[in-house]
PDB file of all heavy atoms in Angstrom:
ATOM      1  N   LEU T  61     152.888  23.051 -31.506  1.00 98.00           N
ATOM      2  CA  LEU T  61     152.322  22.522 -32.736  1.00 98.00           C
ATOM      3  C   LEU T  61     151.495  21.259 -32.522  1.00 98.00           C
ATOM      4  O   LEU T  61     150.343  21.162 -32.968  1.00 98.00           O
ATOM      5  CB  LEU T  61     153.430  22.216 -33.750  1.00 98.00           C
ATOM      6  CG  LEU T  61     154.314  23.391 -34.179  1.00 98.00           C
ATOM      7  CD1 LEU T  61     155.398  22.903 -35.120  1.00 98.00           C
ATOM      8  CD2 LEU T  61     153.467  24.476 -34.822  1.00 98.00           C
ATOM      9  N   ALA T  62     152.083  20.258 -31.899  1.00 98.00           N
ATOM     10  CA  ALA T  62     151.396  18.966 -31.803  1.00 98.00           C
ATOM     11  C   ALA T  62     152.016  18.102 -30.720  1.00 98.00           C
ATOM     12  O   ALA T  62     153.169  18.315 -30.311  1.00 98.00           O
ATOM     13  CB  ALA T  62     151.460  18.227 -33.138  1.00 98.00           C
ATOM     14  N   TYR T  72     146.588  18.646 -31.598  1.00 97.00           N
ATOM     15  CA  TYR T  72     147.139  19.574 -32.576  1.00 97.00           C
ATOM     16  C   TYR T  72     146.773  21.017 -32.240  1.00 97.00           C
ATOM     17  O   TYR T  72     145.718  21.286 -31.666  1.00 97.00           O
ATOM     18  CB  TYR T  72     146.600  19.272 -33.974  1.00 97.00           C
ATOM     19  CG  TYR T  72     147.026  17.958 -34.553  1.00 97.00           C
ATOM     20  CD1 TYR T  72     146.155  16.865 -34.576  1.00 97.00           C
ATOM     21  CD2 TYR T  72     148.295  17.799 -35.098  1.00 97.00           C
ATOM     22  CE1 TYR T  72     146.535  15.655 -35.121  1.00 97.00           C
ATOM     23  CE2 TYR T  72     148.686  16.589 -35.651  1.00 97.00           C
ATOM     24  CZ  TYR T  72     147.804  15.523 -35.658  1.00 97.00           C
ATOM     25  OH  TYR T  72     148.186  14.319 -36.199  1.00 97.00           O
ATOM     26  N   LEU T  76     146.646  25.256 -36.832  1.00 98.00           N
ATOM     27  CA  LEU T  76     147.442  24.538 -37.829  1.00 98.00           C
ATOM     28  C   LEU T  76     146.960  23.111 -38.054  1.00 98.00           C
ATOM     29  O   LEU T  76     147.552  22.368 -38.834  1.00 98.00           O
ATOM     30  CB  LEU T  76     148.914  24.512 -37.412  1.00 98.00           C
ATOM     31  CG  LEU T  76     149.611  25.873 -37.385  1.00 98.00           C
ATOM     32  CD1 LEU T  76     150.948  25.767 -36.658  1.00 98.00           C
ATOM     33  CD2 LEU T  76     149.825  26.385 -38.807  1.00 98.00           C
ATOM     34  N   LYS T  77     145.889  22.746 -37.389  1.00 97.00           N
ATOM     35  CA  LYS T  77     145.437  21.351 -37.390  1.00 97.00           C
ATOM     36  C   LYS T  77     145.255  20.768 -38.781  1.00 97.00           C
ATOM     37  O   LYS T  77     145.600  19.608 -39.037  1.00 97.00           O
ATOM     38  CB  LYS T  77     144.123  21.243 -36.623  1.00 97.00           C
ATOM     39  CG  LYS T  77     143.644  19.830 -36.418  1.00 97.00           C
ATOM     40  CD  LYS T  77     142.420  19.782 -35.519  1.00 97.00           C
ATOM     41  CE  LYS T  77     141.995  18.343 -35.260  1.00 97.00           C
ATOM     42  NZ  LYS T  77     140.840  18.277 -34.327  1.00 97.00           N
ATOM     43  N   SER T  78     144.731  21.574 -39.709  1.00 98.00           N
ATOM     44  CA  SER T  78     144.458  21.063 -41.050  1.00 98.00           C
ATOM     45  C   SER T  78     145.732  20.745 -41.822  1.00 98.00           C
ATOM     46  O   SER T  78     145.697  20.037 -42.826  1.00 98.00           O
ATOM     47  CB  SER T  78     143.622  22.074 -41.831  1.00 98.00           C
ATOM     48  OG  SER T  78     144.341  23.282 -42.003  1.00 98.00           O
ATOM     49  N   ARG T  79     146.860  21.257 -41.360  1.00 98.00           N
ATOM     50  CA  ARG T  79     148.117  21.079 -42.101  1.00 98.00           C
ATOM     51  C   ARG T  79     149.068  20.095 -41.430  1.00 98.00           C
ATOM     52  O   ARG T  79     150.090  19.749 -41.999  1.00 98.00           O
ATOM     53  CB  ARG T  79     148.825  22.425 -42.236  1.00 98.00           C
ATOM     54  CG  ARG T  79     148.057  23.479 -42.998  1.00 98.00           C
ATOM     55  CD  ARG T  79     148.763  24.832 -42.932  1.00 98.00           C
ATOM     56  NE  ARG T  79     150.145  24.701 -43.368  1.00 98.00           N
ATOM     57  CZ  ARG T  79     151.116  25.533 -42.995  1.00 98.00           C
ATOM     58  NH1 ARG T  79     150.866  26.538 -42.186  1.00 98.00           N
ATOM     59  NH2 ARG T  79     152.354  25.365 -43.448  1.00 98.00           N
ATOM     60  N   LEU T  80     148.764  19.680 -40.215  1.00 98.00           N
ATOM     61  CA  LEU T  80     149.693  18.874 -39.430  1.00 98.00           C
ATOM     62  C   LEU T  80     149.261  17.420 -39.300  1.00 98.00           C
ATOM     63  O   LEU T  80     148.068  17.123 -39.188  1.00 98.00           O
ATOM     64  CB  LEU T  80     149.829  19.461 -38.023  1.00 98.00           C
ATOM     65  CG  LEU T  80     150.441  20.840 -37.886  1.00 98.00           C
ATOM     66  CD1 LEU T  80     150.356  21.310 -36.430  1.00 98.00           C
ATOM     67  CD2 LEU T  80     151.880  20.854 -38.353  1.00 98.00           C
ATOM     68  N   THR T  81     150.261  16.538 -39.291  1.00 98.00           N
ATOM     69  CA  THR T  81     150.053  15.135 -38.945  1.00 98.00           C
ATOM     70  C   THR T  81     151.234  14.686 -38.101  1.00 98.00           C
ATOM     71  O   THR T  81     152.388  14.918 -38.470  1.00 98.00           O
ATOM     72  CB  THR T  81     149.957  14.237 -40.187  1.00 98.00           C
ATOM     73  OG1 THR T  81     148.910  14.692 -41.038  1.00 98.00           O
ATOM     74  CG2 THR T  81     149.671  12.790 -39.786  1.00 98.00           C
ATOM     75  N   ILE T  82     150.946  14.082 -36.967  1.00 98.00           N
ATOM     76  CA  ILE T  82     151.994  13.556 -36.093  1.00 98.00           C
ATOM     77  C   ILE T  82     151.805  12.053 -35.957  1.00 98.00           C
ATOM     78  O   ILE T  82     150.681  11.579 -35.780  1.00 98.00           O
ATOM     79  CB  ILE T  82     152.004  14.255 -34.711  1.00 98.00           C
ATOM     80  CG1 ILE T  82     153.250  13.869 -33.910  1.00 98.00           C
ATOM     81  CG2 ILE T  82     150.733  13.981 -33.944  1.00 98.00           C
ATOM     82  CD1 ILE T  82     153.464  14.726 -32.650  1.00 98.00           C
ATOM     83  N   LEU T  93     156.637  14.475 -37.771  1.00 98.00           N
ATOM     84  CA  LEU T  93     155.670  15.558 -37.969  1.00 98.00           C
ATOM     85  C   LEU T  93     155.688  15.950 -39.439  1.00 98.00           C
ATOM     86  O   LEU T  93     156.750  16.197 -39.999  1.00 98.00           O
ATOM     87  CB  LEU T  93     156.029  16.779 -37.122  1.00 98.00           C
ATOM     88  CG  LEU T  93     155.078  17.968 -37.267  1.00 98.00           C
ATOM     89  CD1 LEU T  93     153.802  17.713 -36.466  1.00 98.00           C
ATOM     90  CD2 LEU T  93     155.732  19.269 -36.802  1.00 98.00           C
ATOM     91  N   THR T  94     154.522  15.984 -40.044  1.00 98.00           N
ATOM     92  CA  THR T  94     154.424  16.506 -41.401  1.00 98.00           C
ATOM     93  C   THR T  94     153.565  17.760 -41.393  1.00 98.00           C
ATOM     94  O   THR T  94     152.567  17.834 -40.672  1.00 98.00           O
ATOM     95  CB  THR T  94     153.848  15.488 -42.396  1.00 98.00           C
ATOM     96  OG1 THR T  94     152.527  15.118 -41.969  1.00 98.00           O
ATOM     97  CG2 THR T  94     154.713  14.238 -42.470  1.00 98.00           C
ATOM     98  N   MET T  95     153.972  18.735 -42.167  1.00 98.00           N
ATOM     99  CA  MET T  95     153.248  20.002 -42.295  1.00 98.00           C
ATOM    100  C   MET T  95     153.124  20.299 -43.786  1.00 98.00           C
ATOM    101  O   MET T  95     154.134  20.424 -44.481  1.00 98.00           O
ATOM    102  CB  MET T  95     153.994  21.134 -41.585  1.00 98.00           C
ATOM    103  CG  MET T  95     153.287  22.484 -41.660  1.00 98.00           C
ATOM    104  SD  MET T  95     154.167  23.823 -40.813  1.00 98.00           S
ATOM    105  CE  MET T  95     153.992  23.328 -39.129  1.00 98.00           C
TER     106      MET T  95
END
Side-chain angles (χ1 to χ4, degrees):
Chain T
L61 300 177
Y72 294 103
L76 294 167
K77 187 174 183 177
S78 63
R79 298 173 54 205
L80 295 174
T81 303
I82 190 169
L93 180 78
T94 60
M95 181 180 291

